[in-house]
């Protein structure tokens, strides 16, 4: 797992890249104090879990940032990750099964192969581009 920290605030985790070959039994990818959560699981045939559902919680956060993840299904994607001062700090390339996570800082993506397929996940609710993005 590649963790990319701010050069402006060295203890601030901005971006994470998790590679498909890094999967273990269960591994938390995102620190628990973030809005976006992800764990990787490597499981064998027959594995199961007790049936369950998640409970409703009354959550109020005075300041919440949208956090985003891309999971490449097919093709290749070059990530361009930015620090909190808008300077470019990393350009990893994602291949099928790899995932990127942007917790803070900026990002853009360059598609490197035709017919690239990606799942994009983002914390919501989505209230429109005006309330969600500031272009660098």
């Amino acid at each position: 797992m590649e963790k990319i920290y701010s050069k402006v605030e060295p203890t601030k985790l901005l971006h994470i890249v998790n590679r498909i070959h890094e999967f273990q039994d269960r591994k938390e990818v995102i620190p628990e104090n973030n809005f976006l959560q992800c764990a990787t699981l490597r499981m064998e045939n027959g594995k199961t879990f007790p049936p369950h559902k998640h409970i409703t919680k009354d959550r109020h956060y005075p300041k919440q940032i949208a956090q985003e993840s891309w999971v490449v299904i097919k093709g290749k994607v070059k990530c361009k990750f930015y620090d909190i001062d808008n300077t470019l700090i990393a350009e990893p390339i994602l291949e099928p099964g790899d995932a990127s996570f942007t917790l803070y800082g900026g990002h853009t993506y360059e598609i490197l192969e035709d017919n690239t397929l990606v799942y994009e996940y983002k914390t919501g609710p989505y209230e429109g581009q005006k309330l969600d993005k500031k272009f660098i």
Side-chain angles (χ1 to χ4, degrees):
M1 181 178 346
E2 181 181 356
K3 293 183 176 183
I4 301 163
Y5 287 86
S6 171
K7 292 181 181 177
V8 177
E9 294 180 31
T11 60
K12 190 173 193 79
L13 179 60
L14 303 179
H15 311 278
I16 299 170
V17 173
N18 198 80
R19 307 286 180 186
I20 193 168
H21 67 270
E22 297 174 320
F23 276 53
Q24 300 170 5
D25 292 335
R26 181 183 175 100
K27 182 168 136 187
E28 301 299 325
V29 177
I30 309 291
E32 64 186 21
N33 62 331
N34 287 276
F35 299 103
L36 187 63
Q37 293 294 294
C38 179
T40 57
L41 296 93
R42 178 184 293 267
M43 297 175 283
E44 300 303 324
N45 184 28
K47 175 76 174 170
T48 188
F49 305 93
H52 67 282
K53 61 183 179 179
H54 295 271
I55 59 175
T56 301
K57 299 174 189 175
D58 188 18
R59 298 179 181 191
H60 299 280
Y61 301 101
K63 290 186 177 185
Q64 181 179 356
I65 191 169
Q67 297 179 327
E68 185 173 323
S69 174
W70 273 37
V71 179
V72 176
I73 304 305
K74 177 184 169 200
K76 278 187 179 178
V77 175
K78 179 188 228 180
C79 305
K80 294 184 180 185
F81 291 143
Y82 294 84
D83 205 330
I84 56 176
D85 67 354
N86 300 335
T87 58
L88 184 66
I89 56 171
E91 295 184 282
I93 294 176
L94 303 179
E95 298 194 12
D98 294 345
S100 71
F101 303 88
T102 292
L103 307 175
Y104 300 95
H107 62 259
T108 188
Y109 302 98
E110 180 182 343
I111 306 308
L112 301 178
E113 292 182 2
D114 288 339
N115 299 310
T116 291
L117 302 175
V118 174
Y119 284 116
E120 178 187 67
Y121 299 92
K122 188 164 44 171
T123 51
Y126 182 65
E127 299 173 305
Q129 190 174 21
K130 184 177 179 183
L131 296 175
D132 186 60
K133 295 178 183 175
K134 182 177 181 181
F135 294 102
I136 298 174

